[in-house]
Amino acid sequence: MLSPAARKYRKTSFMVLAGYLVLFPAASYVADRIHPTGVVLWMLAVLPVLPVLGVMSLMGQYLRDEKDGYKRDLAVRCLLWGTAGMMIVHLFSGYLRLFGWKGQLFPFCELFVFGGFMLAAKISYRMSNRVPADE
């Protein structure tokens, strides 16, 4: 059962992420057509980041509004696991390059790792805190 804060977060974050689905292809299309440099390149690159910042802000609002301490704690723990996974992959790829690797990880690898670690944390916490059904 979702709390009112969780329902609000889910609804608004889906709307904000829909903006990402518009801004990213639009910025990519413009970049492919005009081959920007300098300030225009930076402005195009920041456009798809804005919805992600919006979702981060919404997560902070959710944590503020959520009254259930367990749900709030679970969200924070999942965010920490996601951040840890993302940081590990970023550091690993940095050390690979430092030690001579000329390649690169696929685009947005850290973002996928963040989501994967968050999902794995949520599943593991849910499984470890299961309440047996009353019989």
Side-chain angles (χ1 to χ4, degrees), residues 52-114:
V52 176
L53 290 172
V55 169
M56 293 170 73
S57 172
L58 290 171
M59 177 56 85
Q61 291 173 15
Y62 165 72
L63 292 172
R64 181 195 65 211
D65 295 342
E66 181 60 69
K67 302 300 179 211
D68 186 340
Y70 173 75
K71 289 180 181 179
R72 191 172 45 243
D73 183 54
L74 180 64
V76 169
R77 287 178 182 215
C78 290
L79 284 168
L80 285 172
W81 274 100
T83 303
M86 185 171 58
M87 187 174 170
I88 289 167
V89 168
H90 184 72
L91 286 171
F92 177 70
S93 68
Y95 283 119
L96 281 174
R97 285 189 294 278
L98 181 69
F99 297 146
W101 186 49
K102 302 297 182 211
Q104 65 180 2
L105 299 177
F106 60 91
F108 308 112
C109 175
E110 292 96 345
L111 185 61
F112 293 122
V113 169
F114 177 79

Side-chain angles (χ1 to χ4, degrees), residues 74 78 117-129:
L74 180 64
C78 290
F117 268 68
M118 275 189 64
L119 182 62
K122 188 169 188 174
I123 291 169
S124 70
Y125 284 125
R126 289 260 170 108
M127 289 176 60
S128 67
N129 293 314

Side-chain angles (χ1 to χ4, degrees), residues 7-68:
R7 280 194 300 272
K8 179 182 174 188
Y9 168 72
R10 184 174 284 181
K11 179 183 173 186
T12 53
S13 65
F14 281 142
M15 290 188 319
V16 169
L17 286 175
Y20 175 81
L21 295 175
V22 171
L23 289 174
F24 175 64
S28 179
Y29 177 81
V30 170
D32 287 344
R33 297 294 177 252
I34 68 171
H35 306 288
T37 58
V39 174
V40 176
L41 176 66
W42 286 67
M43 287 173 41
L44 283 175
V46 82
L47 283 177
V49 173
L50 295 175
V52 176
L53 290 172
V55 169
M56 293 170 73
S57 172
L58 290 171
M59 177 56 85
Q61 291 173 15
Y62 165 72
L63 292 172
R64 181 195 65 211
D65 295 342
E66 181 60 69
K67 302 300 179 211
D68 186 340

